[in-house]
Amino acid sequence: QSYRNNDNILSKFRQEGVDKLIKELRQKLGMTQTELARKAGIKQGVLSYIESGKTKNPRIDTMQAIAAALGVPVERLMKKAG
């Protein structure tokens, strides 16, 4: 099942707050952006853009990978964003 084109789901990640939550969770775990990116299997630059709010259309698979690397369900990020 592909969610890449599901604007309803992706729009939840565009809302203010999810960028701050990711950074907060990462810092609470004592992880650097590089460590989290490596654990999530994404580039550190991608994570930086998401945390800074510069990424307006994050991919659902990227958000799922970040959530898994943080040890939280992706729904937690969506609830914060929505």
Side-chain angles (χ1 to χ4, degrees):
Q1 186 175 8
S2 174
Y3 292 103
R4 286 187 186 166
N5 294 321
N6 190 327
D7 289 335
N8 188 33
I9 290 175
L10 291 178
S11 68
K12 292 184 181 295
F13 291 122
R14 295 181 191 134
Q15 304 300 317
E16 184 177 341
V18 72
D19 50 351
K20 293 178 183 137
L21 176 61
I22 291 169
K23 184 174 183 176
E24 179 183 313
L25 291 170
R26 175 179 60 76
Q27 290 176 335
K28 283 185 180 179
L29 291 171
M31 298 173 78
T32 65
Q33 281 188 347
T34 301
E35 291 168 333
L36 177 57
R38 185 177 299 127
K39 190 171 180 181
I42 63 172
K43 294 181 180 181
Q44 184 272 331
V46 171
L47 179 59
S48 176
Y49 266 60
I50 291 171
E51 283 192 359
S52 68
K54 292 178 183 175
T55 298
K56 302 299 179 197
N57 298 303
R59 292 173 30 176
I60 187 73
D61 57 338
T62 300
M63 297 304 290
Q64 288 170 329
I66 292 170
L70 290 170
V72 299
V74 72
E75 292 82 10
R76 179 168 178 199
L77 300 181
M78 291 175 66
K79 286 179 184 173
K80 176 66 177 180

PDB file of all heavy atoms in Angstrom, residues 10-22:
ATOM      1  N   LEU A  10      -0.107  13.089   4.133  1.00  0.00           N
ATOM      2  CA  LEU A  10       1.074  13.936   4.058  1.00  0.00           C
ATOM      3  C   LEU A  10       0.820  15.329   4.604  1.00  0.00           C
ATOM      4  O   LEU A  10       1.704  15.933   5.192  1.00  0.00           O
ATOM      5  CB  LEU A  10       1.593  14.007   2.620  1.00  0.00           C
ATOM      6  CG  LEU A  10       2.191  12.710   2.079  1.00  0.00           C
ATOM      7  CD1 LEU A  10       2.617  12.906   0.633  1.00  0.00           C
ATOM      8  CD2 LEU A  10       3.364  12.252   2.914  1.00  0.00           C
ATOM      9  N   SER A  11      -0.384  15.828   4.442  1.00  0.00           N
ATOM     10  CA  SER A  11      -0.663  17.178   4.936  1.00  0.00           C
ATOM     11  C   SER A  11      -0.552  17.244   6.449  1.00  0.00           C
ATOM     12  O   SER A  11      -0.233  18.287   7.003  1.00  0.00           O
ATOM     13  CB  SER A  11      -2.050  17.648   4.489  1.00  0.00           C
ATOM     14  OG  SER A  11      -3.064  16.903   5.127  1.00  0.00           O
ATOM     15  N   LYS A  12      -0.778  16.138   7.132  1.00  0.00           N
ATOM     16  CA  LYS A  12      -0.637  16.123   8.583  1.00  0.00           C
ATOM     17  C   LYS A  12       0.807  16.366   9.001  1.00  0.00           C
ATOM     18  O   LYS A  12       1.070  16.923  10.047  1.00  0.00           O
ATOM     19  CB  LYS A  12      -1.148  14.806   9.158  1.00  0.00           C
ATOM     20  CG  LYS A  12      -2.642  14.631   9.021  1.00  0.00           C
ATOM     21  CD  LYS A  12      -3.104  13.363   9.695  1.00  0.00           C
ATOM     22  CE  LYS A  12      -4.585  13.154   9.541  1.00  0.00           C
ATOM     23  NZ  LYS A  12      -5.389  14.165  10.204  1.00  0.00           N
ATOM     24  N   PHE A  13       1.753  15.953   8.179  1.00  0.00           N
ATOM     25  CA  PHE A  13       3.157  16.161   8.488  1.00  0.00           C
ATOM     26  C   PHE A  13       3.612  17.574   8.154  1.00  0.00           C
ATOM     27  O   PHE A  13       4.693  17.979   8.535  1.00  0.00           O
ATOM     28  CB  PHE A  13       4.033  15.157   7.736  1.00  0.00           C
ATOM     29  CG  PHE A  13       3.864  13.754   8.223  1.00  0.00           C
ATOM     30  CD1 PHE A  13       3.458  12.763   7.356  1.00  0.00           C
ATOM     31  CD2 PHE A  13       4.113  13.415   9.538  1.00  0.00           C
ATOM     32  CE1 PHE A  13       3.302  11.464   7.796  1.00  0.00           C
ATOM     33  CE2 PHE A  13       3.963  12.118   9.989  1.00  0.00           C
ATOM     34  CZ  PHE A  13       3.561  11.146   9.111  1.00  0.00           C
ATOM     35  N   ARG A  14       2.813  18.313   7.414  1.00  0.00           N
ATOM     36  CA  ARG A  14       3.175  19.671   7.023  1.00  0.00           C
ATOM     37  C   ARG A  14       2.834  20.691   8.111  1.00  0.00           C
ATOM     38  O   ARG A  14       3.250  21.827   8.044  1.00  0.00           O
ATOM     39  CB  ARG A  14       2.451  20.062   5.726  1.00  0.00           C
ATOM     40  CG  ARG A  14       2.873  19.235   4.548  1.00  0.00           C
ATOM     41  CD  ARG A  14       2.143  19.685   3.298  1.00  0.00           C
ATOM     42  NE  ARG A  14       2.356  18.716   2.252  1.00  0.00           N
ATOM     43  CZ  ARG A  14       1.418  18.229   1.469  1.00  0.00           C
ATOM     44  NH1 ARG A  14       0.181  18.639   1.581  1.00  0.00           N
ATOM     45  NH2 ARG A  14       1.708  17.352   0.546  1.00  0.00           N
ATOM     46  N   GLN A  15       2.052  20.262   9.066  1.00  0.00           N
ATOM     47  CA  GLN A  15       1.600  21.188  10.091  1.00  0.00           C
ATOM     48  C   GLN A  15       2.736  21.543  11.034  1.00  0.00           C
ATOM     49  O   GLN A  15       3.646  20.763  11.273  1.00  0.00           O
ATOM     50  CB  GLN A  15       0.445  20.569  10.890  1.00  0.00           C
ATOM     51  CG  GLN A  15      -0.722  20.124  10.049  1.00  0.00           C
ATOM     52  CD  GLN A  15      -1.351  21.259   9.273  1.00  0.00           C
ATOM     53  OE1 GLN A  15      -1.531  22.337   9.819  1.00  0.00           O
ATOM     54  NE2 GLN A  15      -1.675  21.029   8.032  1.00  0.00           N
ATOM     55  N   GLU A  16       2.651  22.732  11.601  1.00  0.00           N
ATOM     56  CA  GLU A  16       3.667  23.186  12.548  1.00  0.00           C
ATOM     57  C   GLU A  16       3.682  22.269  13.759  1.00  0.00           C
ATOM     58  O   GLU A  16       2.642  21.865  14.256  1.00  0.00           O
ATOM     59  CB  GLU A  16       3.343  24.613  12.997  1.00  0.00           C
ATOM     60  CG  GLU A  16       4.394  25.202  13.891  1.00  0.00           C
ATOM     61  CD  GLU A  16       4.089  26.629  14.272  1.00  0.00           C
ATOM     62  OE1 GLU A  16       3.301  27.269  13.594  1.00  0.00           O
ATOM     63  OE2 GLU A  16       4.668  27.059  15.269  1.00  0.00           O
ATOM     64  N   GLY A  17       4.836  21.921  14.217  1.00  0.00           N
ATOM     65  CA  GLY A  17       4.958  21.137  15.437  1.00  0.00           C
ATOM     66  C   GLY A  17       5.689  19.824  15.253  1.00  0.00           C
ATOM     67  O   GLY A  17       6.415  19.411  16.135  1.00  0.00           O
ATOM     68  N   VAL A  18       5.485  19.146  14.129  1.00  0.00           N
ATOM     69  CA  VAL A  18       6.124  17.845  13.957  1.00  0.00           C
ATOM     70  C   VAL A  18       7.631  18.001  13.869  1.00  0.00           C
ATOM     71  O   VAL A  18       8.371  17.167  14.383  1.00  0.00           O
ATOM     72  CB  VAL A  18       5.552  17.082  12.743  1.00  0.00           C
ATOM     73  CG1 VAL A  18       6.005  17.682  11.430  1.00  0.00           C
ATOM     74  CG2 VAL A  18       5.937  15.616  12.802  1.00  0.00           C
ATOM     75  N   ASP A  19       8.108  19.072  13.282  1.00  0.00           N
ATOM     76  CA  ASP A  19       9.549  19.303  13.197  1.00  0.00           C
ATOM     77  C   ASP A  19      10.153  19.445  14.594  1.00  0.00           C
ATOM     78  O   ASP A  19      11.185  18.856  14.906  1.00  0.00           O
ATOM     79  CB  ASP A  19       9.855  20.530  12.336  1.00  0.00           C
ATOM     80  CG  ASP A  19       9.056  21.777  12.710  1.00  0.00           C
ATOM     81  OD1 ASP A  19       8.123  21.679  13.532  1.00  0.00           O
ATOM     82  OD2 ASP A  19       9.359  22.842  12.171  1.00  0.00           O
ATOM     83  N   LYS A  20       9.471  20.170  15.447  1.00  0.00           N
ATOM     84  CA  LYS A  20       9.945  20.369  16.816  1.00  0.00           C
ATOM     85  C   LYS A  20       9.870  19.082  17.620  1.00  0.00           C
ATOM     86  O   LYS A  20      10.745  18.804  18.444  1.00  0.00           O
ATOM     87  CB  LYS A  20       9.140  21.479  17.486  1.00  0.00           C
ATOM     88  CG  LYS A  20       9.394  22.833  16.853  1.00  0.00           C
ATOM     89  CD  LYS A  20       8.555  23.910  17.485  1.00  0.00           C
ATOM     90  CE  LYS A  20       8.810  25.220  16.747  1.00  0.00           C
ATOM     91  NZ  LYS A  20       7.625  25.959  16.488  1.00  0.00           N
ATOM     92  N   LEU A  21       8.828  18.289  17.393  1.00  0.00           N
ATOM     93  CA  LEU A  21       8.685  17.030  18.116  1.00  0.00           C
ATOM     94  C   LEU A  21       9.815  16.071  17.762  1.00  0.00           C
ATOM     95  O   LEU A  21      10.391  15.431  18.639  1.00  0.00           O
ATOM     96  CB  LEU A  21       7.332  16.374  17.812  1.00  0.00           C
ATOM     97  CG  LEU A  21       7.114  15.003  18.453  1.00  0.00           C
ATOM     98  CD1 LEU A  21       7.163  15.100  19.978  1.00  0.00           C
ATOM     99  CD2 LEU A  21       5.800  14.410  18.000  1.00  0.00           C
ATOM    100  N   ILE A  22      10.137  15.958  16.482  1.00  0.00           N
ATOM    101  CA  ILE A  22      11.227  15.068  16.063  1.00  0.00           C
ATOM    102  C   ILE A  22      12.526  15.495  16.739  1.00  0.00           C
ATOM    103  O   ILE A  22      13.248  14.660  17.303  1.00  0.00           O
ATOM    104  CB  ILE A  22      11.367  15.055  14.531  1.00  0.00           C
ATOM    105  CG1 ILE A  22      10.160  14.352  13.908  1.00  0.00           C
ATOM    106  CG2 ILE A  22      12.668  14.369  14.116  1.00  0.00           C
ATOM    107  CD1 ILE A  22      10.068  14.502  12.395  1.00  0.00           C
TER     108      ILE A  22
END
